[in-house]
Amino acid sequence: MTNRRRAFLSRNVLLTDGQPRPATVIVDDSTGTIVDIIGTLVPRSSFPDIDDADWIDAGHSYLLPGLVDAHVHLNEPGRTDWEGFWTGTRAAASGGVTTVVDMPLNSIPPTTTTENLEQKRAAARGQCWTDVAFWGGVIPGNQAHLKPLVAAGVKGFKCFLIESGVDEFPCVNEADLRGAMTELKDTSTVLCFHAELEKTPGVSTPEPADPTLYSTFLASRPQQLEVDAIELITRLHREYPALRLHIVHLSAADALPLVRAARASGLPLTVETCFHYLTLSAQHIPHGRPEFKCCPPIREDANRDALWAALLDGAIDCVVSDHSPCVAALKKLDERDVMAAWGGISTLGLGLSLLWTEARKRGVGIERIVNWLCVRPAEHAGLADRKGQVKVGYDADLVVWDPDAQTKVTKELLNFKNKLTPYEGLTLDGRVEKTFLRGKLVYDGAQGGFAGLEPIGNLL
């Protein structure tokens, strides 16, 4: 008996060359992988063995590879009032994300030992609407746990050069980094940095100023913090040149010359930025709106333009959400206190539309966006052999997407747990119609999203 197959057709399939073209994608239902790609729209009669329910014709809507969001805080176990696997991965799937890589914080416990990793996996099982992989954490004193975490399957490690905001995940100093890099230097893993560094603690604290003004917060996290951090990172990288290093959520364009110089010298350094740094700017943030606060901060228009230029010339590799939610009380909305609020922006489900809306204004095509949101983050997270491309042998993670539909962001649209986002009220271009994980439907916008569907995500 032949395996059951499924066919996906569109006049606009994003294949590995990046250009939308007519194609028919054949999926083996038993493995969830792509087994054939035919460079034309095949007549229905050519596949009499495929059931009507398994013949999915997207028409003129685009067929994209599922997005890989390599920077997400799902916060479970321990802070499930902030987010959780169920709500976070549903939000991701609604935006065309089929794989998320969960950060080692702000869960309790953090992912800093194999025992803690297993607690997180146990919490995740049966709850995930997308596939989920995990980053490990580097904190002071856990160097002996790093190689066991690699062996247990983490995709890499995250550390902070400045206080993280949660007590259970302290920042590291140069001696801690040397210990960690020595442990990891002969592995194929990647060490990721929250790259802000206060050379003299307290030096960036401004004179007392109005805590409801975004400008007060921005002055407290100047670009120099990121520049100093990346100076340290690239200096250490020269001592450990075989180890892959990665800068998470770069916001400071002033640090780009250091990045370019390190890469020109041959160091394996990669960089991500976030939707909020590419679509928002400090000048347009209203007073008393803590939902715009994140660390490092959203900066000025000129900085945003420089980040776009770096994306386009390849100095920045990929774009991620850094979805970092919290409960409403920690956002200090009633007090309008930006300085005291939790620093984190909730984005899951909105990223593709956010980037496409801004990209259209800049004349940037969908093929570049697929590279930044699918191909490159899959490479970064060690998933490039199965995720991020519509390609034979890869998982059939597919997104039916209408580039011209417009959607107004409302609380009712949001699928993450705490409905707080700076994007509320915006009208965005592009809409995810359906999301398929390994060929199976996990989100259907026309049918209420998740009605009648089940979470089938795997832990990677």
Side-chain angles (χ1 to χ4, degrees), residues 3 13 25 70 94 114 121 135 161-162 209 265 287-288 399 409 429 455:
N3 287 337
V13 181
V25 179
S94 73
T114 54
R121 284 178 165 157
W135 298 115
L161 301 183
I162 197 169
S265 74
H287 298 330
V399 180
V409 180
D429 292 343

Side-chain angles (χ1 to χ4, degrees), residues 139-316:
I139 60 173
N142 84 320
Q143 289 93 334
H145 294 281
L146 303 184
K147 283 184 178 175
L149 279 163
V150 173
V154 299
K155 298 305 177 184
F157 296 90
K158 162 87 171 288
C159 67
F160 276 73
L161 301 183
I162 197 169
E163 288 304 329
S164 71
V166 293
D167 293 342
E168 67 276 0
F169 204 94
C171 62
V172 291
N173 60 28
E174 185 170 337
D176 298 320
L177 287 175
R178 289 182 188 279
M181 295 170 85
T182 299
E183 279 293 305
L184 297 173
K185 65 180 180 180
D186 296 322
T187 73
S188 60
T189 197
V190 59
L191 178 58
C192 307
F193 293 83
H194 180 123
E196 290 180 285
L197 177 64
E198 286 188 291
K199 283 188 171 179
T200 305
V203 74
S204 62
T205 303
E207 292 299 313
D210 187 344
T212 70
L213 298 181
Y214 183 78
S215 57
T216 303
F217 170 62
L218 182 59
S220 75
R221 310 287 283 231
Q223 296 208 33
Q224 192 62 41
L225 296 187
E226 294 186 70
V227 172
D228 289 343
I230 293 173
E231 281 181 342
L232 171 62
I233 292 162
T234 54
R235 175 165 58 81
L236 288 173
H237 208 177
R238 290 191 288 273
E239 299 178 30
Y240 300 88
L243 180 60
R244 285 197 301 134
L245 301 186
H246 179 83
I247 309 299
V248 302
H249 53 45
L250 180 76
S251 86
D254 286 357
L256 286 166
L258 289 167
V259 170
R260 291 190 169 101
R263 289 161 69 123
S265 74
L267 292 173
L269 176 68
T270 52
V271 180
E272 71 188 43
T273 192
C274 300
F275 301 114
H276 37 276
Y277 303 132
L278 297 169
T279 61
L280 302 172
S281 60
Q283 292 99 317
H284 305 294
I285 294 176
H287 298 330
R289 293 287 298 277
E291 59 267 44
F292 286 85
K293 180 183 179 178
C294 60
C295 299
I298 297 158
R299 303 190 189 276
E300 301 82 359
D301 281 329
N303 185 83
R304 178 175 60 164
D305 291 341
L307 294 178
W308 269 99
L311 257 182
L312 290 165
D313 71 23
I316 295 175

Side-chain angles (χ1 to χ4, degrees), residues 394-457:
Y394 277 54
D395 289 350
D397 298 343
L398 302 168
V399 180
V400 179
W401 177 71
D402 181 347
D404 297 316
Q406 290 192 317
T407 303
K408 185 173 182 179
V409 180
T410 63
K411 280 185 165 53
E412 293 71 32
L413 177 81
L414 304 173
N415 287 290
F416 44 79
K417 184 167 288 182
N418 290 284
K419 316 294 186 186
L420 300 173
T421 183
Y423 305 113
E424 186 178 353
L426 296 184
T427 298
L428 303 179
D429 292 343
R431 178 188 300 146
V432 170
E433 298 177 337
K434 295 181 180 181
T435 303
F436 295 85
L437 180 62
R438 294 185 304 281
K440 293 181 172 61
L441 185 66
V442 292
Y443 172 79
D444 187 347
Q447 301 299 321
F450 304 95
L453 303 176
E454 296 180 350
I456 57 166

